[in-house]
Amino acid sequence: MEIYICVTVIAMFAGAVSGIVGTGSSLLLLPAMVSSFGPKAAIPIMAVAAIIGNLSRIAVWWGEIDWRATLAYILPGVPAASLGAHVLLALPAWTIDCALGIFFWMMIPVRRRLKNNRWTLSIKQLGFCGGCVGFLTGLVLSTGPVSVPIFTAYGLSGGAFIGTEAASALLLYVSKAGTFALQDALSVRVALTGVFVGGGILLGTLSSKTLVRRLSATHFSALIDVILLISGAGLLYSAWGEK
C-alpha cells in the first residue's frame, strides 16, 4: 500500500507538470515505476496511465483543440505506433532510449534556433511527423518531448498546444496498449495499475489549468526546455537500467 501511495503522489506531481507544458509525465514517473514494479511491467503500465493522462488534458482544453491538426497527425501515427510496439516486443529498447535521450538534449538549442528562424510546418509536414513520432511512441516509453517542437512549429502554444498534443497522443497510446494486449504483454493487474497511476496524473493535470493561463510565451518556452532536459535524463536513465 505504501508503494501505491508514493506512486500516486509522484503521479500527481508529474500530471501537474505535464498539464503545464503538455508532456513529460511518463518520463518523470519512470524511476518510480521501474523501482516499484520492475522494468518489464513499467512500459505497459505507463501506456495505460498515459491514456488516462491524455484524456484529462483533452477534457481540460477541449475547446482549444485543433482537430484538423490532430487528424493529420494520427492518420499515419496510429498504425505506425502499432508497428513500433511490435518491434519493441522483439528488440531491446535501451539503445533507442539512449539515442532519444541525447536527441532531446540536442533539441533544446535546436528548438531555440528554429524558433528564432521562425521555422514552420504545413499540415502535410505535420502528418509526416505524426507517422515518425507514432513509430517512436511504440518503441519507447514516451516521445512527448519530440512532439513539442513539432506542434509549436505548426503554430500552437498554451492550451491549444496542450489539448491538441494530448488528443493526438491519446490514440497513439491506445494503439500501443492494444498491441501489448494482443501480444499478451498487458495483464489485468498491469492494466489496473496503469489506471491507478493514470488517476494520479489526472488529479495533477486538473490542478494546472489556472497556472497555464497565467504563463507568458517566454515562460512557456522556458518550461518546455526544462522538460526536454528532464526527459532526456529520464531516457538515459532508462537506457542504463535496460542495458
Side-chain angles (χ1 to χ4, degrees):
M1 180 60 69
E2 291 181 359
I3 291 177
Y4 285 94
I5 293 175
C6 180
V7 167
T8 300
V9 172
I10 297 173
M12 291 176 64
F13 171 74
V17 172
S18 65
I20 294 170
V21 299
T23 186
S25 60
S26 296
L27 290 171
L28 289 173
L29 274 165
L30 175 62
M33 294 297 100
V34 172
S35 175
S36 301
F37 307 109
K40 187 176 181 180
I43 291 180
I45 286 174
M46 288 312 306
V48 175
I51 291 173
I52 298 175
N54 282 305
L55 280 172
S56 65
R57 287 193 287 276
I58 291 171
V60 170
W61 299 106
W62 177 267
E64 299 188 39
I65 295 175
D66 187 328
W67 291 107
R68 182 168 178 261
T70 300
L71 184 63
Y73 197 81
I74 65 172
L75 283 178
V78 167
S82 179
L83 177 61
H86 276 95
V87 174
L88 170 64
L89 293 174
L91 297 174
W94 73 267
T95 53
I96 302 169
D97 282 351
C98 183
L100 276 177
I102 296 173
F103 172 73
F104 288 168
W105 283 352
M106 292 175 59
M107 279 305 302
I108 296 174
V110 170
R111 192 184 70 84
R112 287 186 172 273
R113 183 176 181 84
L114 291 175
K115 182 179 179 180
N116 292 335
N117 292 337
R118 299 190 178 184
W119 178 61
T120 59
L121 286 177
S122 67
I123 193 71
K124 291 182 179 180
Q125 292 169 329
L126 182 67
F128 174 79
C129 291
C132 295
V133 174
F135 180 73
L136 292 175
T137 299
L139 274 176
V140 298
L141 178 67
S142 173
T143 52
V146 175
S147 67
V148 170
I150 292 174
F151 282 104
T152 53
Y154 182 69
L156 301 177
S157 64
F161 160 74
I162 296 173
T164 304
E165 195 278 336
S168 302
L170 171 65
L171 290 179
L172 300 187
Y173 279 105
V174 168
S175 177
K176 182 176 182 176
T179 301
F180 285 149
L182 291 173
Q183 297 295 318
D184 296 324
L186 186 66
S187 66
V188 174
R189 181 178 180 180
V190 167
L192 289 176
T193 303
V195 171
F196 184 85
V197 174
I201 295 175
L202 185 150
L203 291 175
T205 299
L206 294 177
S207 68
S208 65
K209 184 173 183 178
T210 302
L211 181 57
V212 172
R213 292 196 180 280
R214 294 178 179 177
L215 286 176
S216 66
T218 300
H219 290 154
F220 186 81
S221 179
L223 279 173
I224 288 176
D225 287 342
V226 170
I227 205 64
L228 283 170
L229 180 65
I230 295 174
S231 298
L235 278 168
L236 290 172
Y237 177 88
S238 175
W240 180 266
E242 292 166 350
K243 188 173 179 180

